Structures are given as structure tokens and as C-alpha cells.
């Protein structure tokens, strides 16, 4: 392996950002390497804010950030990052009158692919990568939500970027579309650094080699999904009734109740999942004691 391949694609420390009085990110630190990393957290955790900062669409109030060896605080650093970055925003702004091909081609122009033939070839390549070659001539407004999302991913793939930032890429997709998306993302992660945000632990289990748990602007966990699950060992049990004292307690399909929290002596402990580990780090809204807490 070359030194470049082992260098972290993103290195962040003490990243802080406020929107007025809202502290969206509070001294966030992490390192990203090759493979697929999940940025897992509930709505409002600060995921989009963090991804926008890495994508150089937003500057932090303070902290250090290196992306692909460049410093996004400088104009030349931002340009260097943008040339090697693919970004799928949470709400991609489409021109609904464009066809899928025109949209991707337009993104390629912004990415400085000036040679028309090479650019058109690249547009066809990325549309094929997401299985949209046959809909290339359709207008965006005539496409389903899942197809639009695939076109947005195709746009992020233009120029074969080294770093892919995907903000909730599978939201709104049906199970079959989600599976196809996972195939594409997993393959991309074999040679690149992919950071995708999600609020679903299922997505992390299906795709991610690493996971960063973000909650209320703070990193709660960084490691492998299996390690997140292991942290809940001894704290998940089943019984025949609800346990009001547990962090979470619910009746499962089998009729047994499953609980996460502090088990009573002699409890029937079960093997924890990624979701159980996640529940321990992120307070469920019910325990926040309402909006004013
Ligand atoms: N443009 C904005 N102006 C004011 N507050 C914002 C803005 N964008 C996000 N926020 C707030 O910052 C926090 C983090 O938001 P966001 O990064 O969108 O989280 P997530 O993507 O995890 O849902 C939330 O409390 C949200 O309401
Ligand atoms: Mg978001």
C-alpha cells in the first residue's frame, strides 16, 4: 500500500458551528479512511451541517479540518477539495426541465470537464453506474423519487471522486431501490472513502465498515458497527412484560418484551445488535423530558 492510500481522507478536530443560538456542532473530532463510514444520528443531530462543512459548502466557526490533504479554509484548498469530491446533498436542487443526461452533463461542466466528447462519455458512464442509462433522455420531473435519487448519485460520481459525501442517500427509496443503491455504494467503497449519513441502524449494518454516532452536535462513538453492538453486551434482555425502568422496552414479534438498559439480577440476557448499542448512546426523545429539557 502506498502512503497516499493509508492517509486519512478527512481529519477533523474541535469542529464547532452555531446557527444563532443553536449549537449544531460542539467540538467534533474524527478521522475518515477508505471504505464506507456511516454518520448515524437522530434528526437534528448535526449530520447535514457536518457533511456540508466537509463538502466545503459551509465553514465552521472554529476547529481544524483537512480534506484530501487540503485546507478548506483557503480558496486554493477549497478548489482542490471540490475537484476530488462527490457530494449528494440532502435536498439536491434539480432543474426539473432538464433530462437526466442534461443534468449530469451540467454537473460535469461545473466540474471543469471541458471536452464535450469526454464529458458526454462521463455522463453516460455515471448514469450506467446507477442503472439509469435507459432513462437518460427522460425529464427529471417525469422521474420517480427513487430514480431522481439515482440521478443525484450519478451527479456525485462525475469525475470519479476520491471522497464521496452522501447525505441520507436512501431516504424515500423502497426496499428494492435501497438494495440497488447499497450495491452501488458498497462497490464505490472498495476503492474510495465514502461518508454517508443516516438515522437508520439497519443502513449501517448493511453497508458500513465504520460508524460515527452523532447526537446533539457531539460525537458519541467512533468505531466498527460490531463494537457499537458489543457496548450493549449485558444490557439487553427479554422478559414477559414491559419494564418501565428500561431506556427502551418493546414487545417483539415473538410476543416477548425486549429491553435495553440496566437489567435486573438474573435477567435473560440476549446478544445485542447495533441498534441496541445506538440506543444506549442516543437518548430516546421520550427521556428528554419534553422540549424545554
Ligand atoms: N440554516 C439553519 N439555521 C438555523 N438552524 C439550523 C440551520 N440548519 C440546521 N439548523 C439546526 O441545527 C441543528 C442540526 O441540524 P442538521 O445539521 O440539519 O441535523 P441533521 O442533518 O442531523 O438532521 C438542528 O437543531 C437544526 O434545527
Ligand atoms: Mg440532515
Amino acid at each position: 500500500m502506498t502512503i497516499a492510500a493509508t492517509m486519512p481522507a478527512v481529519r477533523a478536530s474541535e469542529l464547532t458551528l452555531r446557527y444563532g443560538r443553536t449549537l449544531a456542532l460542539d467540538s467534533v473530532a474524527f478521522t475518515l479512511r477508505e471504505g464506507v463510514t456511516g454518520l448515524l444520528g437522530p434528526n437534528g443531530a448535526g449530520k447535514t451541517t457536518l457533511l456540508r462543512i466537509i463538502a466545503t459548502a459551509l465553514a465552521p466557526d472554529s476547529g481544524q479540518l483537512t480534506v484530501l490533504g487540503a485546507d478548506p479554509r483557503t480558496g486554493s484548498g477549497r478548489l482542490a477539495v471540490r475537484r476530488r469530491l462527490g457530494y449528494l446533498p440532502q435536498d439536491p436542487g434539480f432543474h426539473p426541465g432538464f433530462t437526466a443526461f442534461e443534468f449530469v452533463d451540467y454537473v460535469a461542466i461545473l466540474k471543469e470537464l471541458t471536452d464535450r466528447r469526454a464529458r458526454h462519455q462521463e455522463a453516460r458512464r455515471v448514469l450506467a453506474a446507477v442503472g439509469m442509462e435507459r432513462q437518460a433522455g427522460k425529464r427529471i420531473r417525469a422521474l420517480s423519487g427513487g430514480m431522481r435519487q439515482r440521478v443525484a448519485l450519478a451527479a456525485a460520481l462525475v469525475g470519479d471522486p476520491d471522497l464521496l459525501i452522501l447525505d441520507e442517500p436512501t431516504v424515500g427509496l423502497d426496499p428494492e431501490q435501497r438494495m440497488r443503491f447499497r450495491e452501488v455504494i458498497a462497490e464505490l467503497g472498495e476503492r474510495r472513502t465514502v461518508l454517508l449519513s443516516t438515522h437508520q441502524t439497519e443502513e449501517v449494518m448493511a453497508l458500513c465498515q465504520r460508524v460515527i454516532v452523532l447526537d446533539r452536535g457531539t460525537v458519541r462513538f467512533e468505531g466498527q458497527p460490531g463494537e457499537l453492538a458489543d457496548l450493549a453486551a449485558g444490557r439487553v434482555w427479554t422478559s414477559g412484560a414491559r419494564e418501565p425502568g428500561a431506556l427502551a422496552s418493546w414487545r417483539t414479534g415473538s410476543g416477548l418484551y425486549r429491553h435495553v438498559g440496566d437489567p435486573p439480577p438474573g435477567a435473560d440476557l440476549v446478544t445485542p445488535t447495533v441498534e441496541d448499542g445506538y440506543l444506549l448512546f442516543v437518548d430516546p426523545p421520550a427521556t428528554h423530558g419534553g422540549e424545554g429539557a
Side-chain angles (χ1 to χ4, degrees):
M1 240 192 211
T2 63
I3 287 172
T6 59
M7 231 176 60
V10 179
R11 202 196 294 266
S13 59
E14 296 174 74
L15 286 183
T16 298
L17 186 131
R18 282 173 196 279
Y19 298 106
R21 287 166 64 191
T22 305
L23 183 58
L25 295 177
D26 183 7
S27 205
V28 164
F30 64 93
T31 302
L32 271 194
R33 291 178 187 278
E34 212 172 73
V36 183
T37 300
L39 180 62
L40 178 65
N43 288 325
K47 302 181 298 295
T48 294
T49 302
L50 182 56
L51 297 185
R52 293 191 68 212
I53 288 174
I54 300 169
T56 78
L58 184 67
D61 295 331
S62 58
Q64 293 78 46
L65 179 65
T66 308
V67 184
L68 299 167
D71 180 356
R73 275 177 306 193
T74 67
S76 61
R78 283 193 295 278
L79 190 61
V81 172
R82 288 170 190 169
R83 281 187 172 137
R84 295 171 56 205
L85 170 96
Y87 176 38
L88 171 60
Q90 188 161 356
D91 304 299
F94 285 118
H95 302 264
F98 275 22
T99 65
F101 182 87
E102 284 165 349
F103 176 72
V104 173
D105 188 55
Y106 174 70
V107 171
I109 293 170
L110 298 180
K111 281 229 154 173
E112 305 171 288
L113 276 75
T114 46
D115 180 76
R116 197 182 142 96
R117 268 188 67 171
R119 194 177 69 236
H120 285 184
Q121 198 176 339
E122 177 65 357
R124 281 190 293 271
R125 180 189 75 83
V126 295
L127 285 169
V130 299
M132 285 291 289
E133 63 270 59
R134 288 191 16 233
Q135 290 86 2
K138 281 208 170 158
R139 301 212 180 276
I140 304 268
R141 76 162 79 87
L143 297 176
S144 69
M147 285 184 178
R148 280 184 201 188
Q149 195 68 346
R150 281 201 260 166
V151 173
L153 178 62
L157 299 181
V158 167
D160 196 15
D162 299 315
L163 173 64
L164 271 167
I165 304 290
L166 310 175
D167 200 350
E168 307 224 14
T170 61
V171 142
L173 302 187
D174 65 35
E176 209 239 302
Q177 292 168 333
R178 197 150 56 221
M179 208 126 75
R180 290 185 162 280
F181 235 71
R182 284 177 183 165
E183 284 178 344
V184 175
I185 294 169
E187 199 188 319
L188 292 165
E190 287 172 18
R191 293 183 293 120
R192 299 176 191 72
T193 302
V194 180
L195 177 62
L196 65 90
S197 71
T198 178
H199 53 258
Q200 295 174 310
T201 49
E202 187 198 318
E203 203 68 29
V204 170
M205 285 184 282
L207 267 177
C208 302
Q209 283 94 56
R210 295 189 68 77
V211 57
I212 297 167
V213 175
L214 191 69
D215 183 30
R216 282 173 280 164
T218 306
V219 172
R220 307 277 165 153
F221 173 86
E222 183 183 1
Q224 292 170 14
E227 293 169 339
L228 181 56
D230 289 346
L231 287 170
R235 304 197 61 188
V236 187
W237 72 104
T238 55
S239 71
R242 228 182 113 77
E243 298 250 0
L247 278 175
S249 183
W250 68 96
R251 190 166 186 258
T252 65
S254 71
L256 274 179
Y257 285 77
R258 186 180 170 100
H259 324 282
V260 180
D262 294 315
D268 236 333
L269 296 176
V270 296
T271 308
T273 62
V274 172
E275 184 169 37
D276 298 324
Y278 176 62
L279 283 173
L280 287 176
F281 280 97
V282 178
D283 295 339
T287 69
H288 287 176
E291 287 296 318

